[in-house]
Amino acid sequence: MAALTQTIYRFSAPGRTEIGGNHTDHQRGCVLAAAVDLETTAEVTLNGSDVIRVVSDGYAPVEVHLDDLELREEEKNTTAALVRGIAAEFVRRGAKVQGFEAKVHSTVLPGSGLSSSAAFEVLMGTILNHLFFDASLAPAEVARIGQYAENVYFGKPCGLMDQMASAVGGMVMIDFAYPSCPVVERIDFDFAAAGHALCIIDTGADHAELTGEYAAITEELREICAFFGKEVLRQIPRSEFYTALPRLRGNVPDRAILRAMHVYAENERVELQAQALRSGDFDAFLELVKESGRSSWMYLQNITPAGAVQQQAVAVALALCDTLLQGRGAYRVHGGGFAGTVQAFVPLDLLNSFRSGIEAVLGQGSCHVLTIRADGGKREKQS
């Protein structure tokens, strides 16, 4: 008698690139983001127990018991925290979660600014949604569960952009004015047809240990909001903020004021970027990308960690882009900043020399040419 073959379920979730909207999502602002062709995948088999086991390339195995889904302080900043938090939210919603084995492989490099954590969260959420909840949750809800796990269980105060872009797929403009029901608009645009390649440059500096730098941005903006009795900048009219500047100075850090200035302008830029892409005005789009980069460096100040002198990897990468692009294309800090990656839109006729110039300084394989992936987190067809 032939042995029964165990069913293998396959899932994938893409990394994401932030096209516009640097640090606006946690202020209920607007972002322009896209799923990319680097992905995190899993082969899943049910194990008939109450234990989720995750084995990822290059990491220690993770084991989470489904009868113990309470938050663990000592588990913060670990993969186990994400798995536990996501499972807890599905159980809270009524899903009959069972134990499984997941073999995970990823081409979304950790610390790369393409959001390997969000891809993993969306992957786990997609697995639970399809296997134990009849795929009843929309991608946006899977994204929110991932954000919850990262905020509460993992301990990182991220916004929702990364998870939303990974879960939904394609290029999207997202308005987070009402975070429980964000407005998501799909935008179709072919960068290659516009004569440019979308490049992500790995600066070689890992942002995994920089949670405090990211948290400082939200904490400082919270001081601004508290001055007005509000929760986020989106609730404070821009004109009211600028009128209050004489009173704000001395009551909040100057860096907080500058960071707020960035957020207000960046929200407007996202809408203008989306408008430029819809109308096919790629030159206008590139100018807005450059403005975003300047604002991130001057006002948001997420290029170099506070006090860093010996290591300024993002600043060096931006300076290389400035030199190699010869006034063409556009470049900016990508994602959270401080380490990780830089984004560049490179004219196709400069691509080879640009990539060679970057990799001569930052190392072989540091310049990634990406394409946009149409699908978000999904269950792959059974072979």
Side-chain angles (χ1 to χ4, degrees), residues 330-353:
Y331 60 93
R332 63 193 281 276
V333 65
H334 178 253
F338 302 110
T341 55
V342 163
Q343 179 185 78
F345 293 90
V346 182
L348 293 177
D349 63 296
L350 289 180
L351 182 58
N352 289 338
S353 61

Side-chain angles (χ1 to χ4, degrees), residues 56-139:
S56 302
D57 295 342
Y59 293 89
V62 169
E63 191 171 283
V64 170
H65 291 255
L66 292 169
D67 61 356
D68 179 18
L69 297 178
E70 295 298 316
L71 184 152
R72 295 184 178 185
E73 288 295 327
E74 73 278 8
E75 203 174 61
K76 286 191 172 182
N77 291 297
T78 68
T79 303
L82 295 175
V83 175
R84 195 180 305 277
I86 291 166
E89 275 300 282
F90 271 92
V91 169
R92 189 180 69 80
R93 285 166 167 76
K96 306 299 182 183
V97 180
Q98 302 172 36
F100 60 85
E101 314 286 325
K103 295 180 180 179
V104 176
H105 173 71
S106 184
T107 55
V108 187
L109 301 177
S112 68
L114 295 171
S115 203
S116 57
S117 58
F120 179 80
E121 292 156 19
V122 170
L123 179 72
M124 288 294 113
T126 303
I127 291 170
L128 270 62
N129 191 32
H130 280 264
L131 294 186
F132 311 118
F133 217 31
D134 298 323
S136 59
L137 297 185

Side-chain angles (χ1 to χ4, degrees), residues 186-213:
R186 189 98 169 204
I187 296 176
D188 294 317
F189 190 88
D190 186 345
F191 293 124
H196 285 69
L198 168 59
C199 295
I200 296 295
I201 299 155
D202 186 350
T203 68
D206 194 332
H207 65 201
E209 301 301 320
L210 293 170
T211 297
E213 293 282 0

Side-chain angles (χ1 to χ4, degrees), residues 48-355:
S49 75
D50 68 345
V51 179
I52 297 174
R53 296 186 183 90
V54 179
V55 178
S56 302
D57 295 342
Y59 293 89
V62 169
E63 191 171 283
V64 170
H65 291 255
L66 292 169
D67 61 356
D68 179 18
L69 297 178
E70 295 298 316
L71 184 152
R72 295 184 178 185
E73 288 295 327
E74 73 278 8
E75 203 174 61
K76 286 191 172 182
N77 291 297
T78 68
T79 303
L82 295 175
V83 175
R84 195 180 305 277
I86 291 166
E89 275 300 282
F90 271 92
V91 169
R92 189 180 69 80
R93 285 166 167 76
K96 306 299 182 183
V97 180
Q98 302 172 36
F100 60 85
E101 314 286 325
K103 295 180 180 179
V104 176
H105 173 71
S106 184
T107 55
V108 187
L109 301 177
S112 68
L114 295 171
S115 203
S116 57
S117 58
F120 179 80
E121 292 156 19
V122 170
L123 179 72
M124 288 294 113
T126 303
I127 291 170
L128 270 62
N129 191 32
H130 280 264
L131 294 186
F132 311 118
F133 217 31
D134 298 323
S136 59
L137 297 185
E141 191 62 22
V142 172
R144 275 190 286 270
I145 289 174
Q147 183 203 24
Y148 168 82
E150 188 160 346
N151 288 172
V152 178
Y153 278 69
F154 188 86
K156 181 177 178 179
C158 69
L160 186 56
M161 176 186 69
D162 296 352
Q163 295 85 352
M164 189 69 77
S166 179
V168 173
M171 181 160 56
V172 290
M173 177 182 167
I174 311 170
D175 188 337
F176 290 111
Y178 302 98
S180 62
C181 188
V183 177
V184 181
E185 177 195 352
R186 189 98 169 204
I187 296 176
D188 294 317
F189 190 88
D190 186 345
F191 293 124
H196 285 69
L198 168 59
C199 295
I200 296 295
I201 299 155
D202 186 350
T203 68
D206 194 332
H207 65 201
E209 301 301 320
L210 293 170
T211 297
E213 293 282 0
Y214 304 126
I217 294 176
T218 55
E219 288 165 4
E220 290 176 14
L221 293 177
R222 194 175 293 120
E223 292 187 56
I224 299 276
C225 295
F227 181 89
F228 292 96
K230 303 295 183 182
E231 295 179 7
V232 293
L233 288 181
R234 190 66 179 266
Q235 298 169 329
I236 306 165
R238 186 176 185 175
S239 59
E240 188 175 331
F241 163 78
Y242 274 95
T243 298
L245 280 181
R247 291 180 291 124
L248 276 170
R249 294 204 66 211
N251 284 292
V252 301
D254 278 350
R255 189 172 68 170
I257 292 172
L258 293 168
R259 285 174 161 172
M261 288 177 174
H262 163 82
V263 172
Y264 280 114
E266 189 79 345
N267 275 325
E268 290 187 0
R269 271 190 291 271
V270 167
E271 295 190 33
L272 291 171
Q273 282 179 302
Q275 181 180 323
L277 291 176
R278 288 189 213 103
S279 65
D281 189 348
F282 194 62
D283 288 339
F285 169 80
L286 289 176
E287 285 303 313
L288 292 161
V289 172
K290 294 175 186 176
E291 286 180 19
S292 174
R294 286 192 292 268
S295 180
S296 293
W297 202 328
M298 293 172 61
Y299 300 116
L300 184 59
Q301 299 181 37
N302 68 332
I303 305 303
T304 303
V309 176
Q310 293 297 321
Q311 299 292 327
Q312 297 192 0
V314 174
V316 169
L318 290 169
L320 281 172
C321 289
D322 188 44
T323 299
L324 294 168
L325 285 174
Q326 305 169 28
R328 300 172 62 193
Y331 60 93
R332 63 193 281 276
V333 65
H334 178 253
F338 302 110
T341 55
V342 163
Q343 179 185 78
F345 293 90
V346 182
L348 293 177
D349 63 296
L350 289 180
L351 182 58
N352 289 338
S353 61
F354 178 85
R355 178 186 255 173

